[in-house]
Amino acid sequence: MVIASLRVPDDWRRFAAFACLFALAAFAFIGWMYLQAGGATLTTAVDDIGEAVAAGIAAVSCAMAARRTQGRLRLGWVLLAASAASWSLGQFIWSVYEVGLQIAVPNPSPADIGFIAAIFLAIAGLSSFASAPRGTSTGARLGLDTLIVFLSLLFLGWELGLSQVFADTSAPMEARLVNLAYPIGDILIGTVLLLAIRRATGETQGRLLLLLGGLAANAVSDSTFAYLNLSGTTAYVLDAGWVVGYLMIALAALWPSGVRDRSTETKPIDVWQLAVPWIPILAGGMAAIVLAILGHPLDVFSTVLAGAVIALLMASQVIAHRESLALLIQSRLSAATLNDVIVHAPLGVVRIAPDMRILQANPSFSAILGRPVADMIGEPIGDFFPPEEMALVDDRFRALANREVASTEIETQGSSVDGNAIWLHWTASTVRDPEGEIDYFLVMFEDVSERRSTEDALKAAYAELEGLVTQRTVELRAANERLATEAVSDPLTGLYNRRYLADFVERELSRTRRSANKIVFVMLDVDHFKRVNDTFGHDAGDEVLRAMSTFLRSQIRQEDLAFRYGGEEFLLVLPCTSLEGVAKRVEQIRDQIKSVTIKHRNKPLWPVTLSLGVAVFPDHGDSAEAVIECADNALYDAKEGGRDRIVYYDAAAAPAR
């Protein structure tokens, strides 16, 4: 991961490669011009062609930059590409005279058209690189800075040789005008470029510095060429300024940047940008001092230029003072307005230092806590809230400080001066200084105690209602279960009734049909039950029936079912695989009922006997109704045969009965 983070982007690697290549080419050209290898003729050819090639490279590089960019940036590169191409064309015409025809280039010549056009195209292109005004580079200050830079550069150029070009009367007027056009054009280019650098945003500063170096190198060669041309001398090494200059312009076009640089930047200009207008002033002053030491005092025009620059500097300082005073007044008015807003805000507003101490609190916050503002200033905010609440506050403010969130909202419980609990809603954000460090936290407080009380009351009411609903649900479920039980059970004995018999038996018969098992139906009847009712009353009869249900439940298995079929009749449904085992159980029921003691009003009744009729599914019928009817017929036979006995249904004997 560390290696990946240190990887140089491809754009910068490509830029570095071209920078090295152009530097080698520039050093090679300077070396050739200095050594004049191959003689004056070959050196002149390399000089002229090299300058044209360097300008052509700059034109191609700027054109490629224009294809990669958009908006004003594209226009700037197009104009710079046209400027370099125009200069390359002029140099090509110059080379035709010197290298091709081997004659002296006339002054002026057609080549000057390309050279001079390149100057105006470069000025237009550089103007497109200047972004929206920043800081003090606006309005009247910008106009004064423009004049100061132009006059300072003009003063510097005048002292370095422009005056001699202007004073030369031996050349024709058109030649003098052309010779003056180059240094004056370079001064205009320098003025525009210095102001563009002063107004440049972070994305454009690098390329503009390269452009400044390239155009400065061109300006040096232009000025020295004009001076040497006036004196009739030649210095090949000084021509390297054009090669170096255009290679630097080509390199500026390769500077890695976005396709559309920002056109506005809210932060003020940098200190070094603020000092840009002073650079030509300093250079001009040093040139004047050196010339004065060498015995060349200022002439009238230089003196006028120097006086104009001094006057403009004084005017610029006056305007700067007025702007600073206006900004100071505006700042104080803004601070007063902000303080009024805080003081009269209906919500509690507090400024909290990074160490969580209160810097400022308004009267609304004082009213919420019931404490004077003076008693809270300088105190930790945590003194007014429980420690467990401040743990949450500290976590949220830590997220604010680490830029994890832009703002945060919290609700905490506090206490007023009289000890009453209150709920406060916090809305907090950070205010940072120009370096990005936290200046203070700005927090707004709202008393939400009434809302929280209402919410708590609603929650309590909801909980109570939810409890009632739960209780009613349980009761309803129990009632439903009771109704369901009563729907299929006999209320007196608790055994299943005939309704459940109809639902259950058919399902059981369906399962039995798919297997080899059988179902035994046993109809039981209490012997002489009517005598019990007649002798002891119906209450005694009910006791007998309840005792019968308890007895039958104790005699059947989990898979067996007992029904009260009607009156004193009961039905047992016994799934089985062996009829022999069922016969033993039925006999056991008949025999053991006699030992059951049944009491009525604490007095035992006489022993109960049973008559039982047995039928088997599917042997005695293919439906429950048919088999039950067979068991009932067998029960009838048992009662007719003397009671207290078991009769198994016999299909052969049934018609005789």
Side-chain angles (χ1 to χ4, degrees):
M1 296 299 295
V2 174
I3 296 176
S5 63
L6 297 177
R7 183 179 179 182
V8 179
D10 293 340
D11 290 344
W12 283 106
R13 289 206 302 269
R14 182 167 56 251
F15 175 81
F18 276 105
C20 294
L21 179 62
F22 290 167
L24 291 175
F27 281 120
F29 184 85
I30 293 172
W32 193 310
M33 294 300 102
Y34 179 77
L35 298 175
Q36 297 186 21
T41 301
L42 182 58
T43 300
T44 299
V46 172
D47 183 10
D48 293 344
I49 296 174
E51 294 169 14
V53 171
I57 292 173
V60 172
S61 182
C62 291
M64 294 176 63
R67 292 187 60 184
R68 297 193 304 267
T69 53
Q70 302 174 10
R72 288 176 57 85
L73 199 59
R74 169 176 289 183
L75 176 62
W77 287 122
V78 168
L79 292 172
L80 285 180
S83 173
S86 177
W87 201 94
S88 179
L89 178 61
Q91 185 61 33
F92 175 76
I93 297 173
W94 185 281
S95 301
V96 170
Y97 280 105
E98 276 197 337
V99 179
L101 301 178
Q102 295 186 356
I103 60 176
V105 181
N107 187 19
S109 70
D112 293 319
I113 299 175
F115 295 149
I116 295 175
I119 294 174
F120 294 102
L121 290 171
I123 293 173
L126 291 174
S127 299
S128 299
F129 281 100
S131 66
R134 296 175 57 203
T136 58
S137 61
T138 61
R141 291 287 304 279
L142 181 60
L144 286 176
D145 289 345
T146 303
L147 285 175
I148 290 172
V149 172
F150 175 74
L151 293 180
S152 300
L153 290 176
L154 182 59
F155 176 85
L156 181 62
W158 185 268
E159 291 298 316
L160 293 179
L162 184 59
S163 59
Q164 299 183 32
V165 176
F166 181 79
D168 181 27
T169 58
S170 60
M173 179 58 67
E174 59 273 15
R176 294 172 59 193
L177 292 176
V178 169
N179 290 337
L180 286 172
Y182 292 114
I184 292 177
D186 291 332
I187 290 172
L188 291 173
I189 291 176
T191 301
V192 174
L193 185 56
L194 286 174
L195 294 175
I197 290 175
R198 187 180 184 186
R199 302 174 68 184
T201 59
E203 295 87 347
T204 58
Q205 290 176 0
R207 74 163 66 93
L208 286 178
L209 288 175
L210 283 173
L211 289 175
L212 173 62
L215 293 174
N218 288 352
V220 170
S221 292
D222 282 340
S223 298
T224 55
F225 177 79
Y227 179 78
L228 294 176
N229 190 43
L230 179 66
S231 61
T233 58
T234 301
Y236 290 109
V237 174
L238 295 177
D239 291 349
W242 284 306
V243 174
V244 173
Y246 276 113
L247 289 180
M248 291 183 70
I249 293 173
L251 199 59
L254 296 172
W255 183 272
S257 184
V259 297
R260 182 190 292 273
D261 291 345
R262 288 182 294 174
S263 59
T264 59
E265 190 164 319
T266 56
K267 67 178 182 179
I269 63 176
D270 300 326
V271 175
W272 69 269
Q273 290 177 298
L274 189 63
V276 164
W278 294 91
I279 296 176
I281 297 174
L282 179 62
M286 293 179 62
I289 293 173
V290 171
L291 290 175
I293 294 174
L294 296 177
H296 299 285
L298 299 180
D299 58 16
V300 176
F301 186 69
S302 298
T303 304
V304 172
L305 288 177
V309 169
I310 293 173
L312 291 174
L313 283 174
M314 293 176 61
S316 177
Q317 293 304 308
V318 171
I319 294 176
H321 175 72
R322 292 183 60 186
E323 289 180 349
S324 299
L325 183 60
L327 289 174
L328 178 60
I329 294 174
Q330 183 180 0
S331 175
R332 290 180 176 177
L333 289 175
S334 298
T337 301
L338 177 60
N339 187 68
D340 289 341
V341 170
I342 293 176
V343 169
H344 297 94
L347 300 178
V349 180
V350 180
R351 293 194 302 120
I352 302 175
D355 62 356
M356 301 303 288
R357 294 184 178 273
I358 297 177
L359 299 174
Q360 182 183 6
N362 69 343
S364 296
F365 185 69
S366 173
I368 291 174
L369 295 184
R371 290 178 171 85
V373 172
D375 294 346
M376 294 187 290
I377 302 303
E379 298 298 324
I381 190 69
D383 289 353
F384 308 102
F385 297 91
E388 60 273 12
E389 300 288 347
M390 286 306 300
L392 173 62
V393 173
D394 291 340
D395 289 341
R396 296 295 183 87
F397 274 58
R398 191 177 300 109
L400 278 176
N402 295 335
R403 300 179 186 270
E404 297 174 10
V405 293
S407 62
T408 187
E409 296 188 24
I410 326 166
E411 284 194 4
T412 63
Q413 191 175 28
S415 60
S416 60
V417 70
D418 55 7
N420 293 328
I422 56 176
W423 280 95
L424 295 181
H425 181 89
W426 303 44
T427 302
S429 59
T430 54
V431 178
R432 299 181 181 271
D433 57 24
E435 286 73 31
E437 299 297 328
I438 297 176
D439 194 1
Y440 57 87
F441 296 103
L442 183 63
V443 187
M444 290 186 292
F445 290 90
E446 181 182 5
D447 188 349
V448 294
S449 302
E450 184 176 352
R451 175 174 64 79
R452 289 297 294 252
S453 298
T454 303
E455 290 178 354
D456 291 341
L458 289 174
K459 288 179 180 178
Y462 178 78
E464 182 179 359
L465 179 60
E466 190 175 37
L468 291 175
V469 170
T470 302
Q471 180 181 353
R472 295 297 296 168
T473 301
V474 172
E475 293 175 355
L476 182 60
R477 185 179 295 112
N480 289 335
E481 292 175 355
R482 185 173 62 254
L483 290 174
T485 302
E486 292 175 355
V488 298
S489 300
D490 176 59
L492 177 62
T493 63
L495 299 179
Y496 291 114
N497 57 20
R498 294 182 67 172
R499 179 182 299 175
Y500 185 70
L501 175 65
D503 294 336
F504 168 78
V505 172
E506 286 301 327
R507 293 196 302 269
E508 191 66 25
L509 294 183
S510 297
R511 284 194 294 268
T512 304
R513 290 188 184 101
R514 295 190 297 269
S515 65
N517 296 336
K518 298 179 182 296
I519 299 178
V520 175
F521 289 81
V522 181
M523 289 290 294
L524 302 89
D525 186 85
V526 179
D527 294 335
H528 305 295
F529 182 75
K530 185 175 182 300
R531 185 186 303 170
V532 175
N533 285 334
D534 293 343
T535 304
F536 300 101
H538 289 282
D539 291 343
D542 292 342
E543 288 294 342
V544 172
L545 294 177
R546 281 193 287 268
M548 277 294 301
S549 67
T550 302
F551 171 73
L552 292 177
R553 285 195 188 94
S554 67
Q555 297 299 315
I556 62 176
R557 302 168 302 176
Q558 184 176 2
E559 60 269 23
D560 300 335
L561 291 177
F563 298 86
R564 184 185 178 191
Y565 197 73
E568 70 275 17
E569 288 186 336
F570 296 86
L571 173 66
L572 298 180
V573 179
L574 310 174
C576 67
T577 57
S578 172
L579 294 178
E580 290 78 6
V582 172
K584 292 180 181 179
R585 291 171 55 206
V586 173
E587 177 60 30
Q588 183 178 354
I589 290 172
R590 186 199 65 80
D591 181 61
Q592 290 186 1
I593 190 62
K594 300 174 185 178
S595 61
V596 175
T597 300
I598 303 175
K599 292 183 179 181
H600 175 62
R601 297 177 181 175
N602 294 325
K603 294 181 180 181
L605 301 176
W606 59 71
V608 174
T609 60
L610 297 176
S611 298
L612 301 94
V614 181
V616 180
F617 175 86
D619 298 347
H620 301 142
D622 58 356
S623 67
E625 292 82 0
V627 179
I628 291 173
E629 183 179 357
C630 293
D632 189 56
N633 290 335
L635 173 62
Y636 179 82
D637 291 342
K639 296 178 75 68
E640 287 292 322
R643 294 181 174 85
D644 189 19
R645 65 183 60 208
I646 302 171
V647 174
Y648 291 88
Y649 178 75
D650 185 358
R657 185 181 64 80

